[in-house]
């Protein structure tokens, strides 16, 4: 139980870690946990619309994919060119003494290999999570996100992910509440 | 697809919503999405150590349990005594036109009813997520969290949840990295 | 006296409550107390230029109009479609045991009824406070505020309020210090 | 009207100015506008319990007392020993072309002279606003506010202000909602 | 030694002081210490490319030029028209009892006189530090910085400073990492 | 010149990078630039009181010691156990095309080797910068910094650095303005 309590506090630190890409982007920001939440949600959605997937596997991969950042930190694209993270050892240490540690390790290995359809869906969810944030920042009039978006979109691998990204880029980020309401902004 | 893009932007807004309990607590803070992330992680952990659970159901409930707060806002204990949220209508509107909207609705109904073991585990994960945050704030020397903790602990319903809370309250929030290292703080 | 000390701490919490409309707008932000301060100032100004008003009544209404949000939270336009706040009970509880509680209640009832000229001026001050903030954000190049502004302007009821809004929308938010100075930005 | 629009934007800047004392205190923080809001509220309360006061005058003094900080900045105790602010000129410039500028000037002169009972009440409201904030920070376990409090309390001049301060210092800052509720923290 | 420990804590407060110009600009922000760091770096660069300078003197002037703001606060252009800071007394008090206090005083006098080439380079570094920040904010799409930039550029006195400013204004603030990389934004 | 403009923007990014140790500490925070500023100031002070040092070298080392973090990110003690930063390549890339790049590289090599007295003084300044911050946080009543301090103090190598640390730990962080003033907190 002690090891599990430690594991929970380790996962909690992701709420304190800012995603380092936004330091370079110059606007916006989110914690690793916030990014993780949206990634899981997108993974859930992709798994709902893609028939025949092992949905549980997708959710587990989305949930755990950045957990080792509690030990390695969140490294953005530039930083990754100068820094090598020993993710394997981080995972080994964080799953040490955890009864279901081997299962966690298996999930992460599958995600990183990126070969199964579930892994590809989870990885696309990861990219879509950033695409959504950049699109929302772009809608506010910020200049940086536009230049980043094509690069992130280019990393998508599944058809469902690509189709969803295309739709996201056509959709105003406030349409879900603004369009269907009259008199928006009331009481803001 | 348009409806699904809207749904993603709706889930994204949870990154922007602060949890309102912390305004009253006076220290700390987290977004609804950050709370959600840790809740899902705890749900995953509880499902791993409780045999025979439908783990996918637990994860889905943890993921979706606060989604309607995108429309109702996050209401703390005091606010709930003066404000009535029509969560049912919020869920109806947010799942409108979503191909898997009925499935989402079912997950939320089960969570709110709190009768199945999966629902009780997910609800305990929700409480444990707050317990972890309060414990970490208390470890820093803040006074408020101590008074809140017994109330939150008292809401736990499953044996695994109660056992885990007991362990969490005995564990220093930085033990996962501080105890096993020599020379902590280096390069802070 | 104890009840009055409690009342002061209750009013103080408005400094900790963010105005929830800005979570949806995506830029800017203010506390309920900050919004309240500017509303009172605008009420003061409107009362100065509108002859024959009971100025004290206007100031009291502007000061107290959001006080019950200490208990109900600040609900934006979208949230109000899903959430019903029992403001009457909040006011009853917060004025309970306050020697001048009945007077407070009377002020709030008049504000909410919106029938007297003083109430209409105070309500316009409330809207103008948001208009000023949106105009300032728009001047910085943000995209969202433009779409909100016509809706808020449309709620103004007094002639003085409408005339002032028109002038505000024509005025650069930094004109008060930028235009009359040479060499702005010095020592920024 | 142009001059009045400028005046409103000038008052708005008080939302952006942090109170500089908190930079030295090391914890907490508030904008000049937030401090102003609570000062006006306390002025309202003191005027309610002190019979025979010109309440409108008290509210006006509380509202306007820091307005010139839009031009001079907020100077804390240490800074005031090295910096001399020409408040008179700031007031002259900000009321220039304002139809009711002379009235504003009169209110501020009376406040600064501190001779009338209304001015003393408004000045006590100003001090009490800081006392409330320090007390709330002290309740959270922070060490600095305790040392500051006697100095601020020592500046109170009216009997009502002193009595209220005594009560405030005996009252837990969360008593207004914590004591009368069971199960606080729910849903935090 | 006691006096030196006090001096270090005094310098540390510059990390807590926000630069007040940004409150008026409406976007961005930095502490006095952050501004100081970049100023020193620019001073180092200018001293490297301008032959024959006393580089140590330049670095010292850049390091110490805002130290007295620990006592006077940071005053922006508007504030300086209403507020007179007795910098001499601030320097006298902060160097009091410091063994090398007279040397500090000499450095600051030379900087303020602005007559030596080293002082002019240090003063240009101060202005360039703001120019860099405004340029970066302008690149993000914000409107205010464009209007400020010509005023700040106009204050540059050295040829090297003017040439560098010209280059800075032509350079995208993310070019140092964006242009030379393919696939930027990865892992943001 | 283009390469130099790029270099300035690269140094500027240090204002945006939070020091990652504070994410684990749970309280406080500073940017790499803020840490850098205080490090340079402490280096200046140590060079003043240690006779015979090459002061320019000390200042240069303090100024440049974290510059490569613009490319590698700021890694705390835990992260360094899982992540290897190729600082040499980061320095090579950031000094590429810079006329005085070789000089920069020399300064950093000397700092990292830690063999010269100047390097040891600069490294102690780096540690003292963190000690000051932890002491100030500890004075506010926070619990974490106490446990970290002995580890950081243990890294000091010079006599002057050790003596200064001893004095810092005995000195209240607000003594520089609180003790010598009467009536502190005025106008906070």
């Amino acid at each position: 139980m002690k090891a599990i309590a430690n594991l929970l506090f380790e996962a909690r630190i992701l709420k304190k870690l800012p995603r380092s890409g936004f330091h370079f982007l110059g606007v916006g920001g989110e914690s690793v946990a916030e990014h993780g939440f949206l990634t899981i949600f997108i993974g859930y959605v992709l798994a709902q619309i893609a028939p025949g997937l092992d949905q549980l596997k997708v959710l587990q991969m989305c949930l755990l994919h950045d957990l080792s950042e509690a030990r390695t930190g969140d490294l953005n694209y530039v930083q990754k060119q100068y820094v090598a993270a020993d993710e394997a050892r981080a995972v080994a240490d964080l799953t040490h003494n955890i009864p279901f540690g081997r299962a966690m390790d298996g999930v992460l290995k599958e995600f990183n290999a990126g070969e199964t359809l579930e892994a590809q869906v989870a990885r696309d969810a990861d990219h879509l999570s950033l695409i959504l944030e950049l699109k929302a920042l772009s809608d506010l009039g910020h200049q940086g996100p536009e230049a980043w978006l094509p690069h992130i979109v280019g990393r998508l691998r599944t058809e469902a992910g690509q189709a969803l990204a295309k739709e996201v880029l056509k959709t105003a980020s406030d349409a879900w509440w603004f369009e269907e309401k009259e008199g928006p902004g009331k009481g803001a």
Side-chain angles (χ1 to χ4, degrees), chain A:
Chain A
M1 262 329 206
K2 170 64 82 187
I4 292 178
N6 277 334
L7 179 65
L8 297 192
F9 281 118
E10 180 161 357
R12 174 191 165 272
I13 212 80
L14 300 185
K15 295 198 278 187
K16 305 301 163 193
L17 294 186
R19 294 248 293 159
S20 60
F22 293 91
H23 304 145
F24 280 45
L25 183 61
V27 292
E30 63 182 0
S31 65
V32 174
E34 287 174 320
H35 165 72
F37 175 80
L38 199 56
T39 300
I40 303 164
F41 188 80
I42 297 169
Y44 166 78
V45 165
L46 288 173
Q48 292 288 341
I49 61 183
L53 276 187
D54 180 342
Q55 189 187 141
L56 177 58
K57 193 62 79 60
V58 173
L59 292 186
Q60 288 175 337
M61 283 191 281
C62 291
L63 172 64
L64 301 180
H65 84 286
D66 279 338
L67 186 57
S68 63
E69 295 192 358
R71 288 170 194 253
T72 65
D74 175 68
L75 300 166
N76 64 29
Y77 180 72
V78 176
Q79 292 164 351
K80 279 178 182 162
Q81 300 184 32
Y82 297 98
V83 165
D86 189 347
E87 188 187 325
R89 195 153 64 81
V91 172
D93 284 2
L94 75 84
T95 58
H96 185 61
N97 283 331
I98 302 295
F100 48 93
R102 191 179 300 208
M104 292 175 74
D105 189 50
V107 167
L108 286 166
K109 281 213 172 69
E110 182 176 340
F111 176 83
N112 286 323
E115 284 165 8
T116 64
L117 187 54
E118 283 78 10
Q120 286 165 7
V121 163
R123 292 162 76 94
D124 276 9
D126 189 17
H127 300 314
L128 275 161
S129 181
L130 179 53
I131 288 167
L132 269 172
E133 196 61 33
L134 293 173
K135 175 60 167 62
L137 289 169
S138 175
D139 284 357
L140 294 171
H142 299 297
Q143 311 272 332
E146 289 282 315
W148 287 32
L149 275 167
H151 298 280
I152 319 298
V153 171
R155 288 183 207 129
L156 295 168
R157 286 292 161 267
T158 71
E159 231 171 280
Q162 288 162 343
L164 193 46
K166 195 174 286 186
E167 196 67 37
V168 161
L169 294 177
K170 286 191 308 193
T171 303
S173 53
D174 59 3
W176 66 271
W177 63 269
F178 195 88
E179 280 177 12
E180 53 182 80
K181 316 288 169 200
E182 38 177 296
K186 171 100 186 313

